[in-house]
């Protein structure tokens, strides 16, 4: 990403002498507006990166001083992108948009790449919404491995409490003193349901929490103070594959003779079956690797492997002819017992 061409103060819409608090406030507002998970406009991602870059510099006292001293171009020629983001803690902002997958910094990694991230973490952002924010709502969603592989979208039906439209939350009937509002029975709130689309990032992990910012309980201060929707992902067991991180494990049973002589087997994948060459002399429980046939790694462009565990079946009954052949083989003396060490 080339550094922003525009002045950072201009990008964040703040004056040059603005306080750190005002810069934060402005960044949070713009970040909510342009986060690519929420804003589908074509230039949203670029705008989001631009404001995040501006914020990374202006929220850091030393970088901001240098920026003020050297000006935009002078600063840009002194700092690489990596240096601009050094010390910047994206987990500070996890309460804004959480993760589009993975730990709190993954939204950041997926936009800027892992080189720009830092290891500092643990501090929550104490923004001005705290206290007036609506509650976060938690749900669980069950998906299959196919959805893990491809990513996608699930729709969650979210029950909500919202301010009663009849009495505007007072709980009182209009015009009749002391009477309760007929719509909410005096509670001041009504229940409603809405469908919220939740993006499943490819490579999502079991137990991972996906956060949809602003789709929880409404807050008192308007839409920006709404809580978040937290979706815990649960992954259905697959009949053919076991998951191991980004790898899949599949077990194939081959006859003893095929293990000794080598063979080709058809192996299922999450898309279409592929042929796998089992080399001669393959031992039981050997893992053979089909590169790139596993699951995508979360927030990366790489894919895990399909590991094929070879199990060997020994014939349980032999015809007279087979027995005779195997006895000849034994007599040839090439298969002495050995001890595992
Ligand atoms: Zn009411």
């Amino acid at each position: 990403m080339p550094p922003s061409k525009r002045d950072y103060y201009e990008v964040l819409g703040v004056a040059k002498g603005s306080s750190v608090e005002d810069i934060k406030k402005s960044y949070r507002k713009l970040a909510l507006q342009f986060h690519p998970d929420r804003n589908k406009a074509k230039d949203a991602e670029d705008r989001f990166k631009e404001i995040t870059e501006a914020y990374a510099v202006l929220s850091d006292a030393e970088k901001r001083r240098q920026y003020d001293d050297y000006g935009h171009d002078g600063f840009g020629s002194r700092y690489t992108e990596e240096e601009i983001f050094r010390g910047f803690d994206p987990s500070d902002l996890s309460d804004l948009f959480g993760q589009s997958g993975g730990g709190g910094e993954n939204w950041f990694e997926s936009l800027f790449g892992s080189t720009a991230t830092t290891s500092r973490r643990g501090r929550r952002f104490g923004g001005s919404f705290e206290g007036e924010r609506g509650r976060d709502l938690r749900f669980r969603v069950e998906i299959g491995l196919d959805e893990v592989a491809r990513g996608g979208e699930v729709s969650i039906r979210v029950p909500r409490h919202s301010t009663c439209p009849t009495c505007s939350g007072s709980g009182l009937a209009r015009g009749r003193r002391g009477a309760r509002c007929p719509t909410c029975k005096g509670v001041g709130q009504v229940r409603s349901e809405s469908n919220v689309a939740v993006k499943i990032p490819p490579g999502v992990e079991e137990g991972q929490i996906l956060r949809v910012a602003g789709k929880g309980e409404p807050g008192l201060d308007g839409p920006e103070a709404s809580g978040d929707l937290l979706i815990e992902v649960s992954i259905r067991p697959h009949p053919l594959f076991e998951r191991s991180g980004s790898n899949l494990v599949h077990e194939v049973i081959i006859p003893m003779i095929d293990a000794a002589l080598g063979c080709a087997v058809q192996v299922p994948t999450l898309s279409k079956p592929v042929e796998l060459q089992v080399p001669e002399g393959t031992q039981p429980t050997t893992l053979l690797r089909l590169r790139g046939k596993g699951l995508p790694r979360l927030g990366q462009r790489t894919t895990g492997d399909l590991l094929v565990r070879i199990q060997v079946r020994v014939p349980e009954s032999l015809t007279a002819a087979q027995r005779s052949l195997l006895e000849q083989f034994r007599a040839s003396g090439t298969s002495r017992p050995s001890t595992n060490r």
Side-chain angles (χ1 to χ4, degrees):
M1 179 185 76
S4 167
K5 288 190 182 56
R6 289 205 293 149
D7 179 83
Y8 291 149
Y9 291 99
E10 193 189 315
V11 165
L12 290 179
V14 293
K16 219 177 165 187
S18 293
S19 69
V20 177
E21 271 318 299
D22 285 343
I23 289 171
K24 249 181 208 174
K25 227 180 257 176
S26 179
Y27 172 72
R28 286 169 70 87
K29 199 167 142 236
L30 291 167
L32 283 169
Q33 190 184 339
F34 288 105
H35 191 277
D37 279 356
R38 319 176 98 217
N39 189 327
K40 295 299 165 208
K42 246 193 15 228
D43 63 349
E45 188 176 311
D46 288 340
R47 283 299 303 278
F48 184 77
K49 285 179 175 176
E50 194 184 31
I51 58 178
T52 302
E53 186 192 313
Y55 179 67
V57 172
L58 298 186
S59 62
D60 180 299
E62 172 59 16
K63 283 175 192 152
R64 184 179 180 186
R65 197 182 57 74
Q66 297 212 23
Y67 184 76
D68 289 345
D69 285 349
Y70 296 121
H72 188 81
D73 292 339
F75 182 86
S77 63
R78 281 176 168 78
Y79 278 80
T80 64
E81 187 195 341
E82 201 187 335
E83 287 165 341
I84 283 176
F85 287 103
R86 188 168 296 152
F88 176 63
D89 186 3
S91 69
D92 263 353
L93 303 158
S94 60
D95 66 319
L96 278 186
F97 12 75
Q99 55 274 58
S100 3
E105 285 149 18
N106 275 303
W107 63 269
F108 185 81
E109 277 190 30
S110 66
L111 288 173
F112 295 97
S114 56
T115 53
T117 51
T118 69
S119 58
R120 196 159 66 87
R121 52 171 75 231
R123 195 159 50 82
R124 285 270 304 181
F125 190 78
S128 57
F129 301 145
E130 302 296 340
E132 309 130 46
R133 274 185 89 232
R135 269 192 320 136
D136 292 341
L137 296 175
R138 292 176 172 273
F139 291 88
R140 249 170 93 92
V141 66
E142 198 181 60
I143 60 170
L145 276 184
D146 294 289
E147 281 163 296
V148 176
R150 281 184 268 283
E153 206 172 83
V154 292
S155 182
I156 308 261
R157 183 168 282 221
V158 181
R160 298 173 184 287
H161 295 277
S162 52
T163 304
C164 172
T166 309
C167 64
S168 308
S170 71
L172 302 171
R174 216 177 306 165
R176 287 183 291 144
R177 265 180 57 190
R180 288 179 179 178
C181 165
T183 306
C184 63
K185 312 280 185 267
V187 176
Q189 291 198 321
V190 290
R191 284 178 69 96
S192 59
E193 273 190 346
S194 66
N195 285 315
V196 177
V198 180
K199 257 200 185 164
I200 305 285
V204 67
E205 306 272 359
E206 170 74 31
Q208 190 176 321
I209 310 283
L210 303 175
R211 184 184 290 263
V212 186
K215 295 293 185 183
E217 292 273 356
L220 298 174
D221 258 13
E224 281 188 8
S226 291
D228 298 338
L229 197 59
L230 304 177
I231 312 291
E232 183 182 342
V233 175
S234 157
I235 297 162
R236 266 190 299 279
H238 194 280
L240 298 175
F241 305 108
E242 220 177 281
R243 182 179 190 179
S244 170
S246 63
N247 293 334
L248 292 173
V249 182
H250 173 72
E251 195 163 283
V252 167
I253 304 174
I254 60 172
M256 174 185 84
I257 302 300
D258 284 347
L261 299 178
C263 65
V265 290
Q266 285 274 311
V267 177
T269 71
L270 283 176
S271 48
K272 54 181 193 298
V274 296
E275 198 175 87
L276 172 68
Q277 286 299 326
V278 179
E280 63 176 70
T282 294
Q283 302 300 319
T285 74
T286 295
L287 287 172
L288 299 176
R289 189 178 293 267
L290 286 165
R291 288 207 184 276
K293 300 291 183 191
L295 296 170
R297 295 193 179 91
L298 192 67
Q300 300 178 27
R301 284 166 208 275
T302 57
T303 305
D305 304 328
L306 174 57
L307 303 175
V308 181
R309 186 185 294 124
I310 304 294
Q311 295 294 10
V312 177
R313 171 163 291 150
V314 177
E316 289 173 52
S317 64
L318 298 169
T319 64
Q322 286 168 336
R323 168 165 284 278
S324 150
L325 286 169
L326 284 178
E327 277 173 352
Q328 281 177 46
F329 177 72
R330 178 159 63 188
S332 71
T334 54
S335 65
R336 259 171 273 125
S338 65
T339 309
N340 275 340
R341 294 166 43 97

